[in-house]
Amino acid sequence: MLGSKHPYLAPLTVILSIQETIQHSAVYAFYRIIGTLFGIAATIFIIKHLEVNGWTIGLLLTMGMVLPVVLRLDKTIIHQIALTILLVFVFVHKTNYYVYDRIRDTIIGALVAIMIHIIIVPPNYVKEARRTLTQFGIDLGQLFKKAAYWVNNNCEFVEGENLIDDTTNLLQELHQVEKEFKKQKRV
């Protein structure tokens, strides 16, 4: 609709931006846009003066990646910068429209990904959280039974060791319950 000569860029952003939660999708989409803009800025001014070969691509990637790595930017931004530098450098030598298409289509794809995530396939972690919590309750009840049995049978050393292992496993299960509830909270 907007005249892109590279119609695969927006769908690519949609595919990459749909993540586990709406919040993760929005953050990834934002990082993709920032990385794209930084990658274009790193190449656009010198691109016409260099020819496409392995050395120039390597040099551009190295130069374009130094600042983001030094600034310890999120790895998603760093990946997007590298990808953009590579693609902009190669495609601008073939077409003048690529930079504009890349910016516009990345933004469109990011917005579409978030809309798809919100409207069409909103994540629902309630069932998973409920299932995990129910299983935790069952396992906790069994642990109490084992502890009572252990106390009633003179606190045998081996059974005590098994009880410690079961308690450790139950704590890990509790952390999984917590993760499930946090997922639901972020949606």
Side-chain angles (χ1 to χ4, degrees), residues 16-105:
L16 294 174
S17 295
I18 294 181
Q19 300 291 311
E20 184 177 297
T21 65
I22 294 170
Q23 180 182 359
H24 287 137
S25 293
V27 168
Y28 187 93
F30 176 74
Y31 286 167
R32 181 155 170 83
I33 292 169
I34 296 301
T36 297
L37 293 173
F38 191 97
I40 288 171
T43 58
I44 198 68
F45 298 110
I46 59 173
I47 203 166
K48 300 267 183 182
H49 305 290
L50 300 172
E51 72 177 62
V52 177
N53 64 46
W55 290 106
T56 55
I57 291 172
L59 179 65
L60 273 174
L61 284 172
T62 302
M63 290 182 349
M65 300 296 292
V66 169
L67 183 61
V69 170
V70 169
L71 293 176
R72 298 178 186 233
L73 296 179
D74 187 271
K75 68 179 182 172
T76 303
I77 294 175
I78 295 170
H79 293 157
Q80 295 310 314
I81 291 169
L83 183 63
T84 300
I85 288 172
L86 175 67
L87 294 176
V88 166
F89 184 63
V90 171
F91 283 118
V92 165
H93 285 284
K94 296 179 181 184
T95 174
N96 293 328
Y97 307 111
Y98 185 79
V99 171
Y100 304 110
D101 287 352
R102 178 75 187 220
I103 294 169
R104 179 185 57 239
D105 292 355

Side-chain angles (χ1 to χ4, degrees), residues 88-133:
V88 166
F89 184 63
V90 171
F91 283 118
V92 165
H93 285 284
K94 296 179 181 184
T95 174
N96 293 328
Y97 307 111
Y98 185 79
V99 171
Y100 304 110
D101 287 352
R102 178 75 187 220
I103 294 169
R104 179 185 57 239
D105 292 355
T106 298
I107 293 169
I108 290 169
L111 294 174
V112 168
I114 294 167
M115 288 189 308
I116 286 172
H117 214 313
I118 291 171
I119 297 169
I120 298 174
V121 286
N124 183 354
Y125 296 107
V126 173
K127 289 180 185 176
E128 185 62 26
R130 183 180 297 137
R131 185 200 61 76
T132 306
L133 185 60

